[in-house]
Amino acid sequence: MRFPVVLGSTVLAFALPAYAEVPTGKPPQLAPHRAVYDLSLAASKGARTVESARGRIAFDFTGDACEGYALKFRQVTVIESAESGTKTSDLRTANFESGDGKTFRFRNDTGSGEGPAQSVDGNAERKANGPLAVRLKAPKRDNVSLDGEAVFPNTQMRDLIVAARAGKTTLNMKIFDGSDDGRTVYETLSVIGKRIEPGNAAGLEEPARQEGLAKLARWPVTMSYFKPGKKDDTPVYVLSFDLYENGVSRALRLDYGDFALKGEMTRLELLPEKPCQK
């Protein structure tokens, strides 16, 4: 699953693709699914105090390892504060990453109910021993060369699951997800917590109790996003979640700095998987 989120006028996309259960040692495979998370205020700090927040994340993730994976996503968030009143953000995104992780199509539309939505639309391609080539259609047509070490969202999360299975506690990666203005590569630091064994259902919401998850291990993960070359500074954004071995995530926490949201899983549907015929 992949969750783009709105931070001021900037769209930050963070990836949480779901992976089908496979034996340890084999590459994780993405599993198609639909999920809904209800958002509420977790914390507020700083000069711009947020008094309340509510919203919802919903997405539809389909595809297979041969042809690639497509995501349709929407996040609506309503923030209330004494300083700025009530503000609503509405983000819709659609993207497609090829099964081999070499190409990525993306479109993000961000609206606030005031004027037309702002759009970022383009394609990106990873080439061996070369820069990351981005072709933008919106907000204006342009060709951009970015850091060739950057990977796309599904590749990042596949590597995160591999690292968790191997008992690693940190993972550093550069990621391009089409967020911001479609020209930014973020540096990420993921901190992986202690493995939670299958069958530990303490505190789980009802959708997380279904059979498809009960037999899987999970790990608490905190993923921090930094602007290029700014990894010693405060992160732009921090995402925390419980990551199951099949990639499904629960217990979201979206930390924007001045305030943080929590996301409770209210619905999860694991869709039938299409065999990959290579």
Side-chain angles (χ1 to χ4, degrees):
M1 65 187 78
R2 181 176 184 269
F3 301 115
V5 292
V6 178
L7 177 58
S9 60
T10 300
V11 179
L12 288 178
F14 51 94
L16 301 175
Y19 292 86
E21 181 186 6
V22 296
T24 301
K26 293 186 178 181
Q29 301 296 314
L30 294 162
H33 65 286
R34 297 188 181 101
V36 175
Y37 296 81
D38 283 351
L39 301 175
S40 60
L41 185 66
S44 180
K45 58 186 178 181
R48 297 180 295 177
T49 302
V50 172
E51 297 176 347
S52 68
R54 63 186 185 277
R56 178 166 290 178
I57 290 173
F59 63 87
D60 187 323
F61 188 77
T62 58
D64 62 64
C66 287
E67 297 181 2
Y69 298 91
L71 173 74
K72 293 181 180 179
F73 167 98
R74 186 178 184 185
Q75 178 179 334
V76 177
T77 310
V78 180
I79 303 294
E80 297 182 358
S81 70
E83 179 182 345
S84 57
T86 301
K87 290 189 175 182
T88 301
S89 64
D90 187 349
L91 170 65
R92 300 170 189 254
T93 191
N95 64 57
F96 176 87
E97 181 176 339
S98 62
D100 59 12
K102 293 181 179 179
T103 61
F104 184 60
R105 299 200 302 265
F106 56 93
R107 181 182 175 93
N108 299 313
D109 296 296
T110 309
S112 62
E114 301 176 358
Q118 299 178 358
S119 298
V120 177
D121 187 357
N123 302 279
E125 182 178 3
R126 297 182 65 223
K127 298 181 179 180
N129 303 317
L132 177 69
V134 180
R135 296 173 296 279
L136 290 171
K137 301 177 183 178
K140 65 179 182 179
R141 291 188 176 275
D142 198 3
N143 294 324
V144 185
S145 294
L146 300 175
D147 192 331
E149 294 183 0
V151 300
F152 301 132
N154 295 344
T155 301
Q156 181 200 32
M157 295 309 293
R158 178 194 63 206
D159 289 352
L160 178 59
I161 290 177
V162 170
R165 285 175 169 176
K168 295 183 179 180
T169 57
T170 62
L171 181 66
N172 291 278
M173 297 192 76
K174 296 178 181 179
I175 181 172
F176 176 86
D177 51 25
S179 61
D180 205 349
D181 57 0
R183 300 165 177 264
T184 302
V185 168
Y186 283 95
E187 296 187 22
T188 67
L189 170 62
S190 297
V191 178
I192 307 168
K194 185 178 179 180
R195 172 187 168 107
I196 302 172
E197 296 299 331
N200 187 340
L204 295 185
E205 54 274 74
E206 189 61 32
R209 294 177 179 270
Q210 61 182 273
E211 183 179 355
L213 295 184
K215 58 185 178 181
L216 300 177
R218 65 186 190 271
W219 295 264
V221 175
T222 298
M223 186 182 298
S224 300
Y225 285 72
F226 301 85
K227 286 284 191 178
K230 302 290 185 180
K231 206 164 184 181
D232 292 333
D233 295 345
T234 301
V236 175
Y237 176 81
V238 179
L239 168 67
S240 302
F241 51 96
D242 273 7
L243 176 64
Y244 281 88
E245 193 170 10
N246 71 346
V248 171
S249 297
R250 61 168 296 276
L252 305 182
R253 183 182 174 93
L254 294 61
D255 192 338
Y256 298 91
D258 288 337
F259 67 97
L261 302 176
K262 61 180 179 180
E264 178 182 358
M265 180 193 292
T266 56
R267 185 169 61 191
L268 173 66
E269 180 184 3
L270 298 174
L271 303 174
E273 296 179 37
K274 176 183 176 182
C276 179
Q277 302 296 332
K278 292 187 177 180

